[in-house]
Amino acid sequence: MPLNRRTFLGTSAAVGAGAAMAGGSAVPAAAHGHGHGHGHGRPPKRYSFTVMGTTDLHGNVFNWDYFTDKEFDDKDHNDVGLAKISTLVEQVRREKGRGNTLLIDAGDTIQGTQLSYYYAKVDPITARRGPVHPMAQAMNAIGYDAAALGNHEFNYGIPVLRKFEEQCDFPLLGANALDAKSLRPAFAPYVIKRMRTPFGRDVRVAVLGLTNPGVAIWDKANVSGKMVFPGLEEQAAKFVPRLRSMGADVVIVSAHSGTSGTSSYGDQVPHVENAAALVAEQVPGIDAILVGHAHLEIPEYFVENERTGQKVVLSEPLKWGQRLTLFDFDLVWERGRWVVERAGSRVLNSNAVAEDLKITRLLADEHRKVVAYVNQVIGTSSAAMSTAEAAWKDEPIIDLINVVQTETVKAALAGGAYASLPVLSQASCFSRTARIPEGDVTIRDAAGLYPFENTLEARVLTGAQVREYLEFSARYYVRTAAGAPVDTSKLTNAEGIPDYNYDAVSGLTYEIDIAKPNGSRIVNLSFEGKPIDPAAEFVLAVNNYRASGGGNFPHVAGVKQVWANSEEIRNTIISWVRAKGSVDAAQFASVDWRLTRDGSPVF
């Protein structure tokens, strides 16, 4: 799809260079500190304002879990959703004066719940006279000033993203999402807001939006040839001086990028995935960074700029609307301009407030529709299955994903050049609370097993490459000596590896010896009862995230792709259950892998 330059240039000129009023005249909040060079004994002019921030909302409007069909809850009793955030935002606006506040977001807005899925795929916003996206409706009603693009914004393709952008009353910012041909920003790079002060001198606040370079890998099918994504540091270095020269008194970056300085996709892209702290360190002239992408809670974190020594404040509010970041800025009028004297941040917890009825009423119909959709019965199951122990045992519920993927790939390759190769399949335990009940199986049961919008591919690997792939996956287990007690709560997620980056592979048998060091844990790797031939070729049914380098697994991103489709694996599972009518674990469940120590099973 062309990037519709006409509408882009129109909005970008207005958003990029223009300055919008943030609100009427306002009384400054109290500020502290000492001004310099004011003379005549007059007290210095001071002004304070607050920038509120959310990130990684992932389609959460209500405090509701569409997979369990009940109110969201976790072990820490967090709440989720924009309806809660709205209540917090209104409290802050009342306290500070609306004109002394801004509200921004750091991306990953339109993907993640069945609510956002429904309006991308089931009743799409792109249809003629289609609906308005619930996230656009909620964010417009709350009064967002700007949002950065997250990588998940691209999951449903550029047309859905462009439609969402059109439906928002605020700009979607992405200074490093460039048109592949012209290399000009494909979205507004920044917005400048004016804060009115009682002194007749407005404060100009620039918000620069940066997205994640990983989009080029994770959503290759949607963006290849259309957009390119340079590094955050390089684009910030280009735009921050420009914003300062345009008269910005305060520069805030909204970055869909974590603070760790690491990447999950290795060296396939020459840019850092989690670059927010590097931006603060390397690019002078930034006052604060709203951090996203990493799903961590960082109330306040200071990074010193290596060139100027200036301290930059970073904050990341917890995902899904669980927290709201507040950046508080105290400014003083010095030598004819506003200067930031102090900047700090903190987070508010959304579980401390009730949902805003304005938001829940606004979207009550959409919510009802989606609840009805996810509760449709698609088949039956002869036994209950759960992922509760799937992170350390080969469980039937994960076998279900693998059997669906294997059958789909086999059918796709039938009659072709690769039909004779054996098909292996990888699957992860995405959620430890997924379950297929005995009896009726609904869309939400099947969808809860696969909460991501991944699609399926087939890649060719050798036996030797399969072994290295499995060794890489096995790093997920904490090394535990033979005879030492095993505590399942401490056994997994070694080196911080998330559950979705541990793959169980079906179609062969193997043991993982957790007493051994990384790189030599895969024991008795066999295919059809014989030790695997390192030179033999296999087809791996693999999700697009893994195939495109997500998790940085060896070989898979660089080997031959022999098939791919655009249907989500989740929908393939739903269709499979519908077609079969019943799920019988006895027909497909098998124990292909187990954890051992010196040959003895751990469980």
Side-chain angles (χ1 to χ4, degrees), residues 104 106 208 210 232 236 251-259 275-281 283 286-292 298-299 301 303 312-317 325 327 329 345:
I104 63 175
L208 176 68
L210 295 167
L232 286 90
V251 173
I252 297 162
V253 174
S254 184
H256 193 75
S257 182
T259 58
L278 296 172
V279 171
E281 196 176 274
V283 181
I286 296 167
D287 294 295
I289 301 181
L290 176 65
V291 176
I298 304 174
Y301 173 51
V303 173
V312 183
V313 63
L314 283 71
S315 179
E316 181 175 10
T325 279
F327 289 106
F329 297 94
S345 63

mmCIF file of all heavy atoms in Angstrom, residues 104 106 208 210 232 236 251-259 275-281 283 286-292 298-299 301 303 312-317 325 327 329 345:
data_model
loop_
_atom_site.group_PDB
_atom_site.id
_atom_site.type_symbol
_atom_site.label_atom_id
_atom_site.label_comp_id
_atom_site.label_asym_id
_atom_site.label_seq_id
_atom_site.Cartn_x
_atom_site.Cartn_y
_atom_site.Cartn_z
ATOM 1 N N ILE A 104 0.880 11.392 27.049
ATOM 2 C CA ILE A 104 1.491 10.734 25.884
ATOM 3 C C ILE A 104 1.583 9.221 26.119
ATOM 4 O O ILE A 104 1.393 8.739 27.236
ATOM 5 C CB ILE A 104 2.888 11.318 25.561
ATOM 6 C CG1 ILE A 104 3.872 11.076 26.720
ATOM 7 C CG2 ILE A 104 2.789 12.813 25.253
ATOM 8 C CD1 ILE A 104 5.317 11.515 26.413
ATOM 9 N N ALA A 106 3.816 5.456 24.715
ATOM 10 C CA ALA A 106 5.044 4.986 24.054
ATOM 11 C C ALA A 106 4.846 3.731 23.207
ATOM 12 O O ALA A 106 5.798 3.016 22.923
ATOM 13 C CB ALA A 106 6.157 4.775 25.086
ATOM 14 N N LEU A 208 9.197 13.887 20.813
ATOM 15 C CA LEU A 208 9.759 13.163 19.670
ATOM 16 C C LEU A 208 9.416 11.686 19.841
ATOM 17 O O LEU A 208 9.667 11.106 20.896
ATOM 18 C CB LEU A 208 11.282 13.345 19.635
ATOM 19 C CG LEU A 208 12.049 12.582 18.550
ATOM 20 C CD1 LEU A 208 11.722 13.114 17.161
ATOM 21 C CD2 LEU A 208 13.563 12.663 18.801
ATOM 22 N N LEU A 210 9.833 7.669 18.802
ATOM 23 C CA LEU A 210 10.751 6.696 18.176
ATOM 24 C C LEU A 210 10.177 5.292 18.352
ATOM 25 O O LEU A 210 9.722 4.935 19.435
ATOM 26 C CB LEU A 210 12.136 6.770 18.825
ATOM 27 C CG LEU A 210 12.896 8.097 18.625
ATOM 28 C CD1 LEU A 210 14.094 8.159 19.559
ATOM 29 C CD2 LEU A 210 13.333 8.272 17.177
ATOM 30 N N LEU A 232 17.416 4.215 16.900
ATOM 31 C CA LEU A 232 16.843 5.316 17.676
ATOM 32 C C LEU A 232 17.854 6.429 17.910
ATOM 33 O O LEU A 232 17.524 7.611 17.791
ATOM 34 C CB LEU A 232 16.334 4.805 19.038
ATOM 35 C CG LEU A 232 15.040 3.991 19.003
ATOM 36 C CD1 LEU A 232 15.323 2.510 18.815
ATOM 37 C CD2 LEU A 232 14.244 4.191 20.290
ATOM 38 N N ALA A 236 17.345 10.287 16.777
ATOM 39 C CA ALA A 236 17.256 11.288 17.850
ATOM 40 C C ALA A 236 18.327 12.362 17.642
ATOM 41 O O ALA A 236 18.062 13.558 17.808
ATOM 42 C CB ALA A 236 17.420 10.622 19.207
ATOM 43 N N VAL A 251 12.445 19.017 25.788
ATOM 44 C CA VAL A 251 12.372 17.941 24.792
ATOM 45 C C VAL A 251 12.157 16.614 25.513
ATOM 46 O O VAL A 251 12.956 16.210 26.354
ATOM 47 C CB VAL A 251 13.645 17.874 23.916
ATOM 48 C CG1 VAL A 251 13.600 16.637 23.003
ATOM 49 C CG2 VAL A 251 13.783 19.133 23.072
ATOM 50 N N ILE A 252 11.039 15.977 25.167
ATOM 51 C CA ILE A 252 10.699 14.671 25.729
ATOM 52 C C ILE A 252 10.708 13.670 24.585
ATOM 53 O O ILE A 252 10.178 13.951 23.507
ATOM 54 C CB ILE A 252 9.305 14.712 26.383
ATOM 55 C CG1 ILE A 252 9.319 15.704 27.553
ATOM 56 C CG2 ILE A 252 8.878 13.333 26.861
ATOM 57 C CD1 ILE A 252 7.944 16.141 27.986
ATOM 58 N N VAL A 253 11.305 12.503 24.829
ATOM 59 C CA VAL A 253 11.287 11.442 23.825
ATOM 60 C C VAL A 253 10.325 10.360 24.308
ATOM 61 O O VAL A 253 10.380 9.954 25.471
ATOM 62 C CB VAL A 253 12.698 10.851 23.606
ATOM 63 C CG1 VAL A 253 12.644 9.649 22.662
ATOM 64 C CG2 VAL A 253 13.641 11.915 23.050
ATOM 65 N N SER A 254 9.430 9.929 23.413
ATOM 66 C CA SER A 254 8.574 8.776 23.699
ATOM 67 C C SER A 254 9.134 7.639 22.854
ATOM 68 O O SER A 254 9.031 7.667 21.629
ATOM 69 C CB SER A 254 7.124 9.088 23.323
ATOM 70 O OG SER A 254 6.300 8.007 23.677
ATOM 71 N N ALA A 255 9.767 6.678 23.512
ATOM 72 C CA ALA A 255 10.548 5.664 22.792
ATOM 73 C C ALA A 255 10.017 4.262 23.044
ATOM 74 O O ALA A 255 9.993 3.809 24.192
ATOM 75 C CB ALA A 255 12.017 5.733 23.223
ATOM 76 N N HIS A 256 9.607 3.580 21.969
ATOM 77 C CA HIS A 256 9.179 2.195 22.140
ATOM 78 C C HIS A 256 10.411 1.296 22.107
ATOM 79 O O HIS A 256 10.668 0.573 21.157
ATOM 80 C CB HIS A 256 8.166 1.774 21.080
ATOM 81 C CG HIS A 256 7.519 0.483 21.447
ATOM 82 N ND1 HIS A 256 6.545 0.399 22.432
ATOM 83 C CD2 HIS A 256 7.768 -0.785 21.069
ATOM 84 C CE1 HIS A 256 6.217 -0.864 22.601
ATOM 85 N NE2 HIS A 256 6.945 -1.611 21.788
ATOM 86 N N SER A 257 11.172 1.382 23.197
ATOM 87 C CA SER A 257 12.473 0.716 23.262
ATOM 88 C C SER A 257 12.890 0.684 24.716
ATOM 89 O O SER A 257 12.828 1.700 25.402
ATOM 90 C CB SER A 257 13.470 1.542 22.432
ATOM 91 O OG SER A 257 14.737 0.952 22.398
ATOM 92 N N GLY A 258 13.317 -0.492 25.201
ATOM 93 C CA GLY A 258 13.674 -0.628 26.606
ATOM 94 C C GLY A 258 15.010 0.031 26.941
ATOM 95 O O GLY A 258 15.652 0.650 26.097
ATOM 96 N N THR A 259 15.442 -0.125 28.189
ATOM 97 C CA THR A 259 16.641 0.575 28.661
ATOM 98 C C THR A 259 17.890 -0.299 28.695
ATOM 99 O O THR A 259 18.980 0.194 28.961
ATOM 100 C CB THR A 259 16.421 1.095 30.098
ATOM 101 O OG1 THR A 259 16.100 -0.016 30.935
ATOM 102 C CG2 THR A 259 15.302 2.113 30.155
ATOM 103 N N ALA A 275 17.158 0.615 23.307
ATOM 104 C CA ALA A 275 18.170 1.673 23.175
ATOM 105 C C ALA A 275 17.857 2.948 23.941
ATOM 106 O O ALA A 275 18.563 3.940 23.796
ATOM 107 C CB ALA A 275 18.342 2.010 21.688
ATOM 108 N N ALA A 276 16.805 2.967 24.760
ATOM 109 C CA ALA A 276 16.377 4.224 25.390
ATOM 110 C C ALA A 276 17.483 4.871 26.221
ATOM 111 O O ALA A 276 17.698 6.086 26.148
ATOM 112 C CB ALA A 276 15.130 3.995 26.239
ATOM 113 N N ALA A 277 18.203 4.057 27.013
ATOM 114 C CA ALA A 277 19.268 4.632 27.846
ATOM 115 C C ALA A 277 20.430 5.138 26.980
ATOM 116 O O ALA A 277 21.074 6.146 27.305
ATOM 117 C CB ALA A 277 19.758 3.607 28.866
ATOM 118 N N LEU A 278 20.694 4.445 25.867
ATOM 119 C CA LEU A 278 21.754 4.885 24.950
ATOM 120 C C LEU A 278 21.408 6.232 24.325
ATOM 121 O O LEU A 278 22.285 7.083 24.135
ATOM 122 C CB LEU A 278 21.971 3.849 23.830
ATOM 123 C CG LEU A 278 22.476 2.483 24.258
ATOM 124 C CD1 LEU A 278 22.455 1.504 23.087
ATOM 125 C CD2 LEU A 278 23.890 2.578 24.830
ATOM 126 N N VAL A 279 20.134 6.424 24.002
ATOM 127 C CA VAL A 279 19.687 7.715 23.452
ATOM 128 C C VAL A 279 19.965 8.821 24.466
ATOM 129 O O VAL A 279 20.519 9.872 24.134
ATOM 130 C CB VAL A 279 18.187 7.668 23.074
ATOM 131 C CG1 VAL A 279 17.662 9.054 22.705
ATOM 132 C CG2 VAL A 279 17.957 6.703 21.911
ATOM 133 N N ALA A 280 19.606 8.574 25.725
ATOM 134 C CA ALA A 280 19.824 9.577 26.782
ATOM 135 C C ALA A 280 21.306 9.879 26.955
ATOM 136 O O ALA A 280 21.709 11.033 27.144
ATOM 137 C CB ALA A 280 19.237 9.068 28.095
ATOM 138 N N GLU A 281 22.117 8.832 26.859
ATOM 139 C CA GLU A 281 23.556 8.952 27.074
ATOM 140 C C GLU A 281 24.254 9.672 25.911
ATOM 141 O O GLU A 281 25.163 10.463 26.110
ATOM 142 C CB GLU A 281 24.102 7.529 27.198
ATOM 143 C CG GLU A 281 25.470 7.398 27.787
ATOM 144 C CD GLU A 281 25.806 5.912 27.921
ATOM 145 O OE1 GLU A 281 25.425 5.313 28.946
ATOM 146 O OE2 GLU A 281 26.416 5.379 26.977
ATOM 147 N N VAL A 283 22.742 11.431 23.045
ATOM 148 C CA VAL A 283 22.169 12.584 22.333
ATOM 149 C C VAL A 283 21.919 13.727 23.312
ATOM 150 O O VAL A 283 21.057 13.616 24.186
ATOM 151 C CB VAL A 283 20.845 12.187 21.624
ATOM 152 C CG1 VAL A 283 20.268 13.372 20.855
ATOM 153 C CG2 VAL A 283 21.074 10.996 20.690
ATOM 154 N N ILE A 286 18.101 16.267 25.563
ATOM 155 C CA ILE A 286 16.850 15.587 25.935
ATOM 156 C C ILE A 286 16.632 15.754 27.443
ATOM 157 O O ILE A 286 17.566 15.596 28.231
ATOM 158 C CB ILE A 286 16.908 14.090 25.569
ATOM 159 C CG1 ILE A 286 17.030 13.911 24.048
ATOM 160 C CG2 ILE A 286 15.686 13.337 26.093
ATOM 161 C CD1 ILE A 286 17.405 12.500 23.606
ATOM 162 N N ASP A 287 15.400 16.067 27.821
ATOM 163 C CA ASP A 287 15.094 16.232 29.246
ATOM 164 C C ASP A 287 14.533 14.968 29.890
ATOM 165 O O ASP A 287 14.791 14.694 31.051
ATOM 166 C CB ASP A 287 14.097 17.383 29.429
ATOM 167 C CG ASP A 287 14.719 18.717 29.026
ATOM 168 O OD1 ASP A 287 15.672 19.141 29.708
ATOM 169 O OD2 ASP A 287 14.281 19.306 28.026
ATOM 170 N N ALA A 288 13.725 14.214 29.133
ATOM 171 C CA ALA A 288 13.081 13.030 29.714
ATOM 172 C C ALA A 288 12.759 12.038 28.607
ATOM 173 O O ALA A 288 12.540 12.428 27.453
ATOM 174 C CB ALA A 288 11.802 13.425 30.442
ATOM 175 N N ILE A 289 12.735 10.753 28.967
ATOM 176 C CA ILE A 289 12.328 9.715 28.009
ATOM 177 C C ILE A 289 11.265 8.833 28.646
ATOM 178 O O ILE A 289 11.472 8.249 29.713
ATOM 179 C CB ILE A 289 13.532 8.843 27.554
ATOM 180 C CG1 ILE A 289 14.621 9.709 26.889
ATOM 181 C CG2 ILE A 289 13.056 7.761 26.571
ATOM 182 C CD1 ILE A 289 15.835 8.928 26.387
ATOM 183 N N LEU A 290 10.115 8.761 27.967
ATOM 184 C CA LEU A 290 9.089 7.778 28.329
ATOM 185 C C LEU A 290 9.476 6.493 27.611
ATOM 186 O O LEU A 290 9.558 6.455 26.387
ATOM 187 C CB LEU A 290 7.703 8.249 27.886
ATOM 188 C CG LEU A 290 6.557 7.258 28.127
ATOM 189 C CD1 LEU A 290 6.329 7.014 29.627
ATOM 190 C CD2 LEU A 290 5.265 7.736 27.470
ATOM 191 N N VAL A 291 9.715 5.444 28.393
ATOM 192 C CA VAL A 291 10.246 4.188 27.868
ATOM 193 C C VAL A 291 9.109 3.182 27.687
ATOM 194 O O VAL A 291 8.205 3.105 28.524
ATOM 195 C CB VAL A 291 11.297 3.618 28.859
ATOM 196 C CG1 VAL A 291 11.815 2.261 28.411
ATOM 197 C CG2 VAL A 291 12.458 4.607 29.024
ATOM 198 N N GLY A 292 9.175 2.390 26.606
ATOM 199 C CA GLY A 292 8.206 1.330 26.393
ATOM 200 C C GLY A 292 8.883 0.045 25.967
ATOM 201 O O GLY A 292 10.107 -0.070 26.017
ATOM 202 N N ILE A 298 9.674 0.969 35.723
ATOM 203 C CA ILE A 298 10.810 1.804 36.123
ATOM 204 C C ILE A 298 10.246 3.171 36.537
ATOM 205 O O ILE A 298 9.969 4.016 35.681
ATOM 206 C CB ILE A 298 11.826 1.973 34.959
ATOM 207 C CG1 ILE A 298 12.303 0.601 34.464
ATOM 208 C CG2 ILE A 298 12.999 2.845 35.392
ATOM 209 C CD1 ILE A 298 13.198 0.657 33.232
ATOM 210 N N PRO A 299 10.027 3.386 37.839
ATOM 211 C CA PRO A 299 9.430 4.656 38.262
ATOM 212 C C PRO A 299 10.313 5.867 37.915
ATOM 213 O O PRO A 299 9.811 6.865 37.412
ATOM 214 C CB PRO A 299 9.269 4.503 39.775
ATOM 215 C CG PRO A 299 9.236 3.015 40.006
ATOM 216 C CD PRO A 299 10.158 2.435 38.971
ATOM 217 N N TYR A 301 14.594 6.776 36.711
ATOM 218 C CA TYR A 301 15.936 6.265 36.410
ATOM 219 C C TYR A 301 16.669 7.393 35.708
ATOM 220 O O TYR A 301 16.180 7.947 34.726
ATOM 221 C CB TYR A 301 15.775 5.037 35.503
ATOM 222 C CG TYR A 301 17.036 4.435 34.932
ATOM 223 C CD1 TYR A 301 18.119 4.100 35.740
ATOM 224 C CD2 TYR A 301 17.122 4.148 33.566
ATOM 225 C CE1 TYR A 301 19.250 3.508 35.201
ATOM 226 C CE2 TYR A 301 18.258 3.560 33.017
ATOM 227 C CZ TYR A 301 19.321 3.240 33.837
ATOM 228 O OH TYR A 301 20.435 2.651 33.298
ATOM 229 N N VAL A 303 19.962 8.926 33.670
ATOM 230 C CA VAL A 303 21.109 8.604 32.820
ATOM 231 C C VAL A 303 21.836 9.912 32.520
ATOM 232 O O VAL A 303 21.207 10.905 32.148
ATOM 233 C CB VAL A 303 20.656 7.940 31.497
ATOM 234 C CG1 VAL A 303 21.826 7.773 30.544
ATOM 235 C CG2 VAL A 303 20.005 6.584 31.772
ATOM 236 N N VAL A 312 19.318 12.929 32.490
ATOM 237 C CA VAL A 312 18.061 12.735 31.775
ATOM 238 C C VAL A 312 17.225 11.754 32.587
ATOM 239 O O VAL A 312 17.725 10.706 33.006
ATOM 240 C CB VAL A 312 18.328 12.151 30.363
ATOM 241 C CG1 VAL A 312 17.029 12.024 29.572
ATOM 242 C CG2 VAL A 312 19.349 13.005 29.609
ATOM 243 N N VAL A 313 15.959 12.089 32.820
ATOM 244 C CA VAL A 313 15.117 11.191 33.613
ATOM 245 C C VAL A 313 14.348 10.254 32.685
ATOM 246 O O VAL A 313 13.771 10.675 31.685
ATOM 247 C CB VAL A 313 14.167 11.976 34.563
ATOM 248 C CG1 VAL A 313 13.176 12.849 33.807
ATOM 249 C CG2 VAL A 313 13.419 11.006 35.495
ATOM 250 N N LEU A 314 14.379 8.950 33.002
ATOM 251 C CA LEU A 314 13.662 7.929 32.239
ATOM 252 C C LEU A 314 12.643 7.263 33.149
ATOM 253 O O LEU A 314 12.899 7.058 34.341
ATOM 254 C CB LEU A 314 14.625 6.854 31.711
ATOM 255 C CG LEU A 314 15.488 7.191 30.489
ATOM 256 C CD1 LEU A 314 16.576 8.194 30.849
ATOM 257 C CD2 LEU A 314 16.143 5.927 29.941
ATOM 258 N N SER A 315 11.490 6.908 32.584
ATOM 259 C CA SER A 315 10.484 6.176 33.353
ATOM 260 C C SER A 315 9.721 5.260 32.415
ATOM 261 O O SER A 315 9.417 5.635 31.283
ATOM 262 C CB SER A 315 9.512 7.137 34.033
ATOM 263 O OG SER A 315 8.517 6.415 34.758
ATOM 264 N N GLU A 316 9.446 4.039 32.895
ATOM 265 C CA GLU A 316 8.613 3.102 32.132
ATOM 266 C C GLU A 316 7.466 2.633 33.025
ATOM 267 O O GLU A 316 7.694 1.946 34.018
ATOM 268 C CB GLU A 316 9.421 1.889 31.651
ATOM 269 C CG GLU A 316 8.568 0.918 30.848
ATOM 270 C CD GLU A 316 9.360 -0.244 30.236
ATOM 271 O OE1 GLU A 316 10.541 -0.422 30.578
ATOM 272 O OE2 GLU A 316 8.769 -0.982 29.422
ATOM 273 N N PRO A 317 6.220 3.010 32.683
ATOM 274 C CA PRO A 317 5.078 2.511 33.459
ATOM 275 C C PRO A 317 4.767 1.078 33.048
ATOM 276 O O PRO A 317 4.948 0.715 31.885
ATOM 277 C CB PRO A 317 3.945 3.453 33.046
ATOM 278 C CG PRO A 317 4.309 3.906 31.661
ATOM 279 C CD PRO A 317 5.816 3.893 31.564
ATOM 280 N N THR A 325 2.878 6.852 34.375
ATOM 281 C CA THR A 325 4.077 7.623 34.746
ATOM 282 C C THR A 325 3.719 9.108 34.840
ATOM 283 O O THR A 325 2.939 9.614 34.026
ATOM 284 C CB THR A 325 5.186 7.426 33.698
ATOM 285 O OG1 THR A 325 5.870 6.193 33.954
ATOM 286 C CG2 THR A 325 6.222 8.540 33.738
ATOM 287 N N PHE A 327 5.884 12.630 34.834
ATOM 288 C CA PHE A 327 7.127 13.405 34.797
ATOM 289 C C PHE A 327 6.785 14.806 35.291
ATOM 290 O O PHE A 327 5.931 15.481 34.703
ATOM 291 C CB PHE A 327 7.658 13.541 33.362
ATOM 292 C CG PHE A 327 8.215 12.286 32.759
ATOM 293 C CD1 PHE A 327 7.503 11.598 31.782
ATOM 294 C CD2 PHE A 327 9.472 11.804 33.133
ATOM 295 C CE1 PHE A 327 8.018 10.453 31.200
ATOM 296 C CE2 PHE A 327 9.996 10.654 32.543
ATOM 297 C CZ PHE A 327 9.270 9.976 31.580
ATOM 298 N N PHE A 329 8.106 18.612 35.863
ATOM 299 C CA PHE A 329 9.149 19.550 35.431
ATOM 300 C C PHE A 329 8.983 20.881 36.157
ATOM 301 O O PHE A 329 7.877 21.436 36.179
ATOM 302 C CB PHE A 329 9.054 19.823 33.919
ATOM 303 C CG PHE A 329 9.293 18.605 33.070
ATOM 304 C CD1 PHE A 329 8.230 17.832 32.631
ATOM 305 C CD2 PHE A 329 10.585 18.227 32.710
ATOM 306 C CE1 PHE A 329 8.435 16.701 31.849
ATOM 307 C CE2 PHE A 329 10.804 17.092 31.932
ATOM 308 C CZ PHE A 329 9.727 16.337 31.497
ATOM 309 N N SER A 345 10.442 11.792 38.102
ATOM 310 C CA SER A 345 9.297 10.983 37.675
ATOM 311 C C SER A 345 8.888 10.009 38.764
ATOM 312 O O SER A 345 9.660 9.697 39.673
ATOM 313 C CB SER A 345 9.621 10.226 36.384
ATOM 314 O OG SER A 345 10.671 9.307 36.593
#
